[in-house]
Each structure stands twice: as structure tokens, then as C-alpha cells.
Amino acid sequence: MTARWDAVVVGAGFAGTLVAHRLGAQGWRVLVLEAGRTAPTGPETAAAYRAAGGGPPTSPYPHSPDAPSPDVTDLTGLPDGGFTATGHLRQYGPLPYASGYLRANGGTGLLWTGLTPRMHPEDFRTGDLGHGRNWPIGYHDLEPYYRDAEHELGVAADAGEQRRAVGLPIPDDYAYPMRAIPASHLDRQLAHVLDGRSVRDPAMPDPARLAVTGTPHARNGLPTRPGDTFGPPCAGSASCVPVCPTGAKYTPLRTQARWAPSVELRTEAVVARVLADPVTGRATGVEYLADAAAHRVDADLVVLAAHAVENARLLLLSGLANRSDQVGRNLMDHPALLTWGLMPDPVGPYRGPGSTSGLEAFRFGPARARRAPFRIEIGNWGWSWAGGSPEAEAAALMAAGLRGKQLRACLGDRLGRQFSLQFELEQPADPANRVTLDPDRRDPLGLPAPAVRYDLDGYVRAGMASARAVSDQLFALLGAEDHTAYPAGPQWPGRIEHQGVAYGYRGAGHAGGTHLMGDSPATSVVDHWQRCWDHPNLYAVGCGSMPSLGTSNPSLTMAALALRSAERIHQDLLDLRRPLSVSARLPSPAAPRPGDLPPLAPRPSVPCPSALPETP
């Protein structure tokens, strides 16, 4: 007889790991199915990365042949413009979706940058501002869960600085778990020149006042409260992408280490279909492929947490949740415009996290009506992401005929003065940007492979023009030598022209929007709990639910949403099963919404029985 679970979670990345953790802490029996393989720990991964001689961010992680991961190296620019794409994602253009993701235990949360800024309150109502969609909840609905997520991930930041510089309504008595990560030498040099100065954005009516502001990080620093411990502090290893060798940066594996015994993980289990009752619409379980065989899992509730692209693909494979015709649509990312150059004096690049500070003034305000907003990250890792690695710089100097002491001196001077700016632009939800099932290509298990259609509209392109204008003024204020260029060819598959000017973008790895949250089943896929409108016990959680991404790295918001949904899932299971006992309710409840059930009463901590009769 097939074992029955209280919940099955598909995907062991950020969202799936957090949901499983909270449900397991309540005594529920949870099965987590992960398509990829088990990931090694930080030191082992760092050794694998060194042994591989570098490579793309996914290179040091174990790859399952049955669950391929798309990678940034799958894209190549063409000499006359345009691009070609290989690998897991078929690309139908007109522009490349330039982000990859990792299918492994821990997901892309293994190789993320670790930056955890909150979204700005404006970001939740982009529809009202003229572009994209509104959320069915607002910043204040999510704020208690932001605090919960910041403690779960161990975030280091200065709450006062976030209130002043970003305008976030953080409670006055709140302190982040850890003090802010110290500013880099480059940050301090830029702050000395830029703080208090102004630049003109062509889309803004008034000059923007500059302030170099620390970025929240999910990496260990000094605890705010004496006696708190979060693990080894950041050692400045400068390999955060793809791996923190000391374990200072949060990954989902840290939470998995605290899973209750009632949570079970199965890796290399590729879910092929969600099963649902054709009459009631209720999900009954999933089918997955492993060890060259098909398996069925029955569960009272199903949670999809397999990445925005894979969640949409699985819903399409299952023929579920698509009454609105929005499954797979509204694919978003943060197209990142990079600029780079040489500072007048050494700035100490290639040390510490990739970015420790940024400029926040362009994230909000009236200019949003005319161009996409953007956040500016100050890059500590020289020209590496722009395509100018230290090895490439050395090769270029050698090709110019430099050798010996002259080569070392010139290389040391140029590398020591390198810096970059990264402009992360908001991309509005657009139904034409979408994930579909490829009609003529299948993955190694015979399942239809995902395909992507992607473009950037005039709003985003206008944002790029503003970002470049701001960059030019920043370089002038800094006295920096600008080396930015986007030539057609292999290095810039994401190359566009706007009003006669060439721009190049990279993907930030921030996929969202493919199973949108909304107020109505006619226009969205999930409700404000990330519960599918058409299937009351099927949840699709993660960045795919987000109606807008704003300009902040989305991992913290995804975590907050997952913790909020876990609370609702717990209530759903109680309503369905009424177990004899589970542990105390989940922390940090949000303010009640109309129609929500009353809070749960505390219950003693006793494991749930493996089976109970269904409630009549």
C-alpha cells in the first residue's frame, strides 16, 4: 500500500526548504522531492571549484543527467547581433533570457550572492504607477514575515540606515540579527567622493542626491544581541558566487540541518506530474521518476517550490491551475546593465563579498512613470562579471608584448584600480514573456523541455538609458576612466540598441512571475497565500508568484512569502486532518485579512500519527 504524507514539497531550494521546515516543526509528515543531486558542503564545493579551474557558477556542483540545469554559458552572442542558445532552455527570442538556475539540493540558493534587501513599498503597486501589476497584499502585510525571514536567514544590516536611505517603514524597535557587514575599501572611497553630491537622471524632475548605503546580507557578521550565535563570520573569501568556503553565507542546507525527523528528503526524484481529482480539483499527490521507474506519492497537500521556470513547466505538464491562461506567462528577471572602469587610485578589488554597498535613490519616486527604476550595486570584484577576468586582462597585456617586471607592474596597477557598477532594472509583468513546453524537444527522461520567449520593452530600455546617463556622471565625479563597451559578439548575447545607442545586459538570476499572485482567478494563478485558485490544496510558492520584482534581490521576499504560506498551509492541514496534537503555531503572524480564520491556539509538541481517518 502506498504511504500517504500530510504534504509533499517539490523542490528543496529556498522556498521548499523553509516550508518543509515550518511544517515539520509542527509535527506534520512532509516528503520533499528534489530533482537534482545532494550538494556537498562549503569546503568540499570550494575544493571542487578550484579543481575545475573556475568556470560558471554551477560548475562545482553535482549535476544529474536526468535533471539538467540551464547555465549562462548556454548563450552566445553573434558577430552581427542576436544570439544562439543551447542546453536545457530552448529560447525563441527576440532577446535572450540570460539567467540560469541550479537543479540540486539547495537549488540556486547554493550559489546566490547573499544580498537580502527588502522590496520598497512602491514595488507592491506597480500597476497603480502605470506599469506591470499590483500585488494583492502590500508591504505592511509582509513586514512581519520580512522580520521572520531575516532571523531565519541571519541577515546583517543597519535598520536605521535602511529607514533613512531607502525609506523602509521598519519598526523603530527592530534590529537585524547581525550588525551590518563592513563597507569595503572601494565603498569608502566612493562614499568620500559621492555622499551629498547630486546627479541628473533624464527621467527625474530634480537631481538625485547620492548616498552610498550598506546592503543587507544573509551572511554572518557580529550578532546584534550578546550571546546569539550564527556560525563562522564572513572571512572575505571573494568566492561567494558560487560558494562560501567557511559557511558564513546562508544556504538552504543550513535550514535543512534543523529539519524535524518527520521531514524526509529524496534527491534525484524528478516530478513529472501533479495528480488531481477531476471532479473536486483537489490535488491527490504527484508522480515522479527515479531509478528508471515511475513512482506515485499520495498526499493531503502539494507544494510546488521548484523555481519559477520549473513550477510553470510542471503545472503545464499536469494541465492544472491555468483557468486564467497565465501559467508560464509574465516571466521576469532583473536585466542588469554593467559599467566598468579604472579608479584613479587602488581600491582593493577581489576581496570580500561581491557587493557590500549601493546607491538607492533611483529605486522609487516619480521617474517610475517614465522609465524602469533601478538599484545600483557597487561591484567589489573588478571587471569579472563584465567579462574582464584577471586572466583575460593578463592575456591582453601579454598579447600587447608585456613580459616580466613590466607585465607584473602593469597588471597589478590595472587590477588594483578596477571597479564596476551594476544597475538592476525592474522588468514589468508582460504576458508575452513566457515559459512554455517545447513541442519538439524532450529532456533526458522524455518529458517536454521548457521553452522561453523573452523581450525587454521600451520602459526597461528607457531605464537603461537613464542608468547609463547616471553612470557617466558618477564616473566623472570619481575621476574614473570608463572602459564600458558592448561589442556585438560572443560575450554579449544580451545586446540591444535603443535610440541609436548600444547597451548590454546580463541576467541577474532573479526569475519571477510565471504563476502570478492576484485578486481574481480570472487574471492570476494563485491567491495571496500562493494557493492555486483552481486547486484548494495545491500551492505554487517562490518568486514565480511575485507580480513585480521591484529592484531588490528577491530571495528575502521569496523567503518571507514562503513563511507566510507555511502558516496558511498549517491551517489548511488542521482543517483537513484535525490531528491529535501538533506544536505551537508558527511565529510572526501577519495582520488578519478579511475572511481569514482566527489564530491557532498553542498545542503540545507530539509527533503526528502516520494515519488518521478523514474528517467527514
Side-chain angles (χ1 to χ4, degrees):
M1 182 176 178
T2 304
R4 187 175 188 88
W5 296 83
D6 296 317
V8 59
V9 176
V10 181
F14 253 107
T17 290
L18 290 170
V19 169
H21 175 55
R22 289 298 171 89
L23 296 181
Q26 296 294 93
W28 298 109
R29 297 180 65 250
V30 181
L31 176 65
V32 181
L33 298 174
E34 168 55 53
R37 291 179 169 173
T38 300
T41 62
E44 293 170 324
T45 308
Y49 191 54
R50 289 193 296 270
T58 58
S59 61
Y61 293 97
H63 291 259
S64 169
D66 292 336
S69 299
D71 203 279
V72 293
T73 56
D74 295 342
L75 296 173
T76 303
L78 299 176
D80 297 325
F83 69 98
T84 59
T86 58
H88 182 55
L89 283 181
R90 174 71 64 86
Q91 300 246 11
Y92 288 102
L95 292 176
Y97 174 73
S99 289
Y101 53 90
L102 178 63
R103 299 173 78 189
N105 181 34
T108 310
L110 296 174
L111 46 80
W112 68 311
T113 60
L115 306 186
T116 52
R118 296 185 181 192
M119 290 178 68
H120 189 274
E122 279 188 7
D123 298 336
F124 292 84
R125 51 185 186 89
T126 54
D128 290 345
L129 300 172
H131 298 273
R133 291 205 186 201
N134 287 347
W135 288 54
I137 59 174
Y139 175 91
H140 289 286
D141 295 294
L142 202 56
E143 201 283 329
Y145 298 96
Y146 269 139
R147 284 179 273 151
D148 191 6
E150 284 157 356
H151 280 82
E152 182 67 44
L153 274 56
V155 172
D158 183 330
E161 185 179 36
Q162 293 297 303
R163 292 188 200 98
R164 292 190 304 272
V166 189
L168 295 178
I170 299 173
D172 291 340
D173 61 350
Y174 179 68
Y176 284 89
M178 283 172 281
R179 299 176 189 174
I181 297 295
S184 69
H185 181 54
L186 171 63
D187 295 338
R188 295 194 296 271
Q189 282 193 281
L190 266 60
H192 178 71
V193 176
L194 299 179
D195 281 359
R197 305 288 289 274
S198 296
V199 298
R200 284 199 168 271
D201 172 355
M204 295 177 72
D206 300 309
R209 190 173 177 83
L210 303 174
V212 174
T213 303
T215 305
H217 284 248
R219 50 175 44 85
N220 298 335
L222 296 175
T224 303
R225 298 185 305 180
D228 283 356
T229 56
F230 293 92
C234 175
S237 302
S239 62
C240 317
V241 181
V243 59
C244 172
T246 65
K249 183 185 72 174
Y250 174 87
T251 75
L253 302 185
R254 187 184 298 178
T255 295
Q256 290 183 18
R258 297 185 288 114
W259 273 352
S262 61
V263 180
E264 179 181 321
L265 171 66
R266 296 179 190 170
T267 57
E268 299 185 74
V270 179
V271 175
R273 186 160 66 109
V274 179
L275 306 172
D277 186 293
V279 177
T280 66
R282 295 189 66 85
T284 59
V286 302
E287 288 181 353
Y288 72 92
L289 306 175
D291 302 320
H295 307 266
R296 173 176 174 145
V297 172
D298 295 324
D300 290 330
L301 190 143
V302 176
V303 180
L304 305 185
H307 187 271
V309 171
E310 297 297 332
N311 269 3
R313 179 192 183 201
L314 186 50
L315 288 172
L316 293 170
L317 286 170
S318 307
L320 299 178
N322 205 19
R323 183 191 346 175
S324 62
D325 188 35
Q326 294 301 300
V327 170
R329 295 188 183 273
N330 306 292
L331 175 66
M332 295 177 279
D333 194 7
H334 281 136
L337 181 81
L338 302 175
T339 61
W340 59 98
L342 296 175
M343 288 286 284
D345 299 302
V347 294
Y350 301 102
R351 294 184 292 184
S355 178
T356 39
S357 299
L359 295 164
E360 309 285 341
F362 309 94
R363 293 179 59 183
F364 38 81
R368 291 185 87 138
R370 301 166 64 183
R371 54 92 175 126
F374 49 89
R375 181 176 179 273
I376 307 175
E377 284 186 13
I378 298 169
N380 290 327
W381 291 348
W383 298 356
S384 55
W385 201 27
S389 67
E391 293 83 1
E393 189 75 4
L397 292 173
M398 292 179 68
L402 275 66
R403 295 291 188 276
K405 290 183 178 180
Q406 186 183 15
L407 172 63
R408 289 193 295 273
C410 187
L411 186 62
D413 173 68
R414 288 178 64 85
L415 292 180
R417 294 188 291 124
Q418 286 184 356
F419 83 111
S420 65
L421 300 176
Q422 174 183 326
F423 298 78
E424 288 195 0
L425 293 108
E426 177 183 58
Q427 180 179 20
D430 179 352
N433 289 335
R434 64 185 303 191
V435 177
T436 59
L437 300 178
D438 198 306
D440 57 10
R441 193 171 62 95
R442 297 191 171 249
D443 72 5
L445 292 176
L447 301 173
V452 168
R453 188 270 181 198
Y454 188 76
D455 199 2
L456 300 177
D457 65 10
Y459 182 65
V460 178
R461 295 173 189 234
M464 288 187 177
S466 281
R468 187 60 199 267
V470 168
S471 177
D472 290 345
Q473 294 171 74
L474 294 175
F475 275 59
L477 289 172
L478 294 167
E481 185 180 315
D482 196 343
H483 286 252
T484 306
Y486 312 107
Q491 295 302 313
W492 289 101
R495 184 181 185 274
I496 63 173
E497 289 196 5
H498 177 65
Q499 297 181 345
V501 179
Y503 301 92
Y505 69 91
R506 306 282 194 208
H510 299 166
T514 55
H515 43 84
L516 277 181
M517 178 193 303
D519 286 318
S520 166
T523 58
S524 58
V525 179
V526 300
D527 66 12
H528 67 90
W529 296 111
Q530 302 186 87
R531 178 173 50 190
C532 292
W533 289 108
D534 299 344
H535 312 283
N537 64 336
L538 174 62
Y539 284 72
V541 303
C543 294
S545 298
M546 296 169 63
S548 68
L549 296 180
T551 56
S552 58
N553 308 59
S555 296
L556 179 73
T557 300
M558 174 172 57
L561 287 170
L563 296 175
R564 185 175 184 273
S565 292
E567 190 169 90
R568 181 69 252 177
I569 293 167
H570 173 64
Q571 182 66 62
D572 286 352
L573 289 171
L574 283 176
D575 291 344
L576 178 66
R577 300 294 298 277
R578 292 295 173 191
L580 295 177
S581 56
V582 290
S583 63
R585 67 164 305 181
L586 296 170
S588 301
R593 294 170 54 91
D596 287 350
L597 295 173
L600 310 178
R603 294 169 173 81
S605 178
V606 179
C608 282
S610 59
L612 282 175
E614 298 289 337
T615 303

